[in-house]
Amino acid sequence: MTAHALRLLRQDRRLAELAASPFGFDLDRAARGHVEEVRLASGRPLEAVAGDDTGGTYFVCADGSVLHADSEGSAGIIAASADEALELLIGLPGWRDCTLLSPDDGEQRILARAAETEDAIRADRGIDAERAELRAALGFPDRSPVELAGRLHAALLRTEPDFVLLDAEEGRAYGRMGPAGPPLWEPVLAAGRADLARLREGDRTAWREVAEDPVRRRITLRAAQFDRAEADTELLRHLLRHETRASMTGELRLAAVLVGLRGDTGDLPLLHEVRETDFDTACGLSDIPEPGADADELRLWAQALDASMFGTDPSDEPVSTWTDLARDQGLTELARVALIRELDGIAPDRSGLRRPEAPLGTARLSGLARDFEELGDLPQALRAQRLYTALQETAWDRASAGRTLARLEREAGRLPQAADSLAAVREALATPGDASLRHWQRVNLGRFIAEEHYRLALALADAGHPETARALLTAADALVGELSENAASGVRELAGRTAARVRPSG
């Protein structure tokens, strides 16, 4: 994780002192670590190599890129290597004031900003002789502030999604340093736009390949949603026919709407054939105009659905549309970062989340927990599920959410926390405070809660906590004793296996 210039600084105390002051790259501060424990959302390694006098830290990433995290909660890639980072700090010591500059701002503005910040530094300390000495010793050329600002701009744009920094305790993402970068939908739609262009060119190989690939088909339909053309009718019919293989998807409804917007009554037999694909599709497209409808009726149906569910502005789509499509394309980090930032944006204001008019209710938290679990990110799944569980009001919802929380904690190896969560579930069963759990013994919820007790007891035994495992087994057996015969029968094999492991005979 080192580079030539960084090695020279570590070997030469004089050069290290010059880098520390006036250029704010202090090797000695690396040993102190950052102001809080941090990690990359991607899970890739970080090495703290220096700090500055404002509480910020310079990290070298696995690929050699240098990430700067300040003490105010922002972070960004500032260079492709430690050598480039040192060139930046020495040649553009006021780089923090240049993070929002881009080559489009022009040479005059960039030079003016660089001169302004350097003059402010010169008011307190020397900079010119020190810069010349360091450049000579490290073998750096005399680069223009304009070139260095351009490099900084390009580096900052690489921060997301692979180099997003999280505080390790809570899992919240640091704010983005510098330019915002493209909206999420742009990289997600890129492949779909390319495929749509090939379909429009009449590439018959593309017609076959896109139609038969469920992911490419979905993304192409989304591209067609935001780039509509009168000549697309036949390719939309083609994609609609093939999307029926996926049953009732949002893209199937979208394809039906895009076809219906043409107002061609000749498409009604196709739309009805699609509607009858299966039960779910029949329900999802139940309001398609009946055979014999005129063009206006067909068009009005499609326009109403288009206005309520689709539209032509990708920024109006819910984040989940893009994170789902990103995940399906294997753009895992892109999806992860977007979901983390969505979770970060949910204020832990219980009254606000519960308001009926709130744009984001508690249900989205449960969806986020599932999304993170599918990505294999249990820490973020736990973060979402904890908040979701804390916001539940009925005893049923508290017990159900608590059982899921305990499962995630067990799978993440947080066994004591899982035991606490199950204790809260038992409390909800014992003193519900409402009638929502009056039949818990006869439904799957009771069985699932008992199963989670047994699974956690097994995990505790395997982890060397026999007393806690036995206590949990006792609680599980008591729960099964309250279940109906049908509910209890589904858990007896697991109960026997757990008992044999936790309370072996002899």
Side-chain angles (χ1 to χ4, degrees):
M1 284 193 177
T2 60
H4 174 70
L6 186 56
R7 288 195 296 271
L8 290 178
L9 293 189
R10 288 171 170 170
Q11 295 165 5
D12 190 318
R13 188 62 191 173
R14 166 63 181 171
L15 297 180
E17 289 173 352
L18 284 175
S21 179
F23 300 107
F25 190 84
D26 189 342
L27 297 178
D28 293 338
R29 291 180 182 268
R32 306 177 194 177
H34 193 48
V35 292
E36 62 185 351
E37 188 178 352
V38 293
R39 63 182 179 85
L40 287 179
S42 65
R44 296 171 184 173
L46 283 174
E47 178 192 1
V49 294
D52 60 34
D53 55 7
T54 65
T57 306
Y58 294 95
F59 297 93
V60 176
C61 305
D63 71 340
S65 297
V66 174
L67 177 82
H68 182 264
D70 64 28
S71 59
E72 304 300 319
S74 295
I77 293 292
I78 64 168
S81 67
D83 279 5
E84 284 194 14
L86 283 162
E87 272 201 81
L88 173 70
L89 271 62
I90 295 166
L92 195 65
W95 69 268
R96 293 174 191 81
D97 295 325
C98 299
T99 56
L100 294 178
L101 291 177
S102 80
D104 294 338
D105 290 308
E107 180 176 329
Q108 184 175 355
R109 183 180 177 191
I110 294 171
L111 291 175
R113 178 65 60 81
E116 180 183 352
T117 56
E118 287 194 12
D119 287 345
I121 296 171
R122 289 189 185 96
D124 295 324
R125 67 190 88 172
I127 184 175
D128 298 298
E130 291 82 357
R131 173 154 53 202
E133 182 177 351
L134 263 180
R135 275 178 168 164
L138 300 178
F140 291 159
D142 183 1
R143 297 190 192 277
S144 161
V146 175
E147 180 180 353
L148 293 172
R151 285 185 173 190
L152 174 62
H153 178 78
L156 288 168
L157 285 173
R158 292 198 301 112
T159 302
E160 294 198 2
D162 294 322
F163 302 101
V164 171
L165 195 67
L166 309 179
D167 80 79
E169 182 176 353
E170 295 185 8
R172 294 181 65 87
Y174 272 51
R176 185 160 189 164
M177 183 182 292
L184 175 62
W185 55 265
E186 282 194 9
V188 172
L189 277 184
R193 286 171 159 176
D195 277 336
L196 181 59
R198 291 179 63 197
L199 296 182
R200 286 173 172 170
E201 291 169 357
D203 183 335
R204 304 315 294 185
T205 299
W207 276 56
R208 183 184 69 255
E209 292 176 349
V210 171
E212 293 178 355
D213 185 316
V215 175
R216 291 177 67 181
R217 190 172 63 234
R218 290 176 62 205
I219 300 166
T220 302
L221 281 167
R222 287 294 177 177
Q225 175 185 348
F226 306 112
D227 178 11
R228 304 183 182 190
E230 286 297 325
D232 286 348
T233 302
E234 190 54 43
L235 71 86
L236 289 172
R237 291 169 179 152
H238 180 66
L239 294 177
L240 172 60
R241 291 186 182 95
H242 284 78
E243 186 61 18
T244 58
R245 300 177 183 180
S247 189
M248 189 61 242
T249 65
E251 286 72 28
L252 180 65
R253 184 182 280 113
L254 169 62
V257 165
L258 292 176
V259 168
L261 285 171
R262 270 72 183 162
D264 184 345
T265 57
D267 286 320
L268 282 171
L270 169 62
L271 291 171
H272 281 276
E273 178 185 345
V274 168
R275 187 177 69 178
E276 299 308 312
T277 299
D278 55 33
F279 178 78
D280 289 340
T281 309
C283 294
L285 295 176
S286 61
D287 53 354
I288 288 176
E290 293 303 318
D294 62 22
D296 286 342
E297 189 177 353
L298 175 59
R299 191 179 293 108
L300 285 173
W301 164 79
Q303 288 172 343
L305 267 184
D306 190 27
S308 64
M309 302 187 68
F310 300 110
T312 58
D313 187 347
S315 63
D316 289 339
E317 285 289 326
V319 174
S320 58
T321 296
W322 306 123
T323 54
D324 287 349
L325 289 172
R327 186 179 60 209
D328 290 346
Q329 292 180 77
L331 303 174
T332 303
E333 291 309 313
L334 198 65
R336 186 201 312 276
V337 168
L339 292 168
I340 290 172
R341 294 215 183 276
E342 183 181 0
L343 181 54
D344 287 349
I346 301 175
D349 176 355
R350 300 184 186 188
S351 61
L353 281 172
R354 287 176 175 139
R355 286 198 303 269
E357 70 274 16
L360 179 64
T362 58
R364 181 56 188 145
L365 287 169
S366 179
L368 283 169
R370 290 192 297 272
D371 288 341
F372 283 122
E373 186 177 6
E374 289 176 5
L375 288 175
D377 193 335
L378 287 180
Q380 294 293 344
L382 278 169
R383 184 177 158 219
Q385 187 66 28
R386 282 194 199 99
L387 181 54
Y388 175 72
T389 302
L391 291 168
Q392 300 313 302
E393 295 182 321
T394 70
W396 177 285
D397 290 341
R398 290 197 304 275
S400 177
R403 195 272 307 185
T404 300
L405 177 60
R407 176 182 62 78
L408 291 172
E409 288 169 332
R410 170 176 58 80
E411 291 175 355
R414 301 181 183 185
L415 304 186
Q417 293 89 336
D420 290 342
S421 295
L422 287 183
V425 170
R426 293 196 300 276
E427 182 179 353
L429 297 177
T431 56
D434 60 44
S436 61
L437 281 172
R438 62 184 179 274
H439 300 307
W440 71 267
Q441 301 93 335
R442 301 204 298 269
V443 296
N444 279 335
L445 178 62
R447 171 189 168 184
F448 294 155
I449 290 171
E451 284 180 345
E452 188 52 42
H453 277 71
Y454 286 124
R455 295 188 191 284
L456 182 56
L458 282 170
L460 285 163
D462 291 341
H465 302 288
E467 293 183 5
T468 310
R470 284 192 289 271
L472 203 62
L473 176 59
T474 299
D477 289 341
L479 289 172
V480 172
E482 297 189 56
L483 296 180
S484 67
E485 178 58 29
N486 283 340
S489 63
V491 78
R492 286 204 174 100
E493 187 277 331
L494 177 60
R497 182 156 44 88
T498 306
R501 173 70 180 86
V502 175
R503 287 197 296 252
S505 59

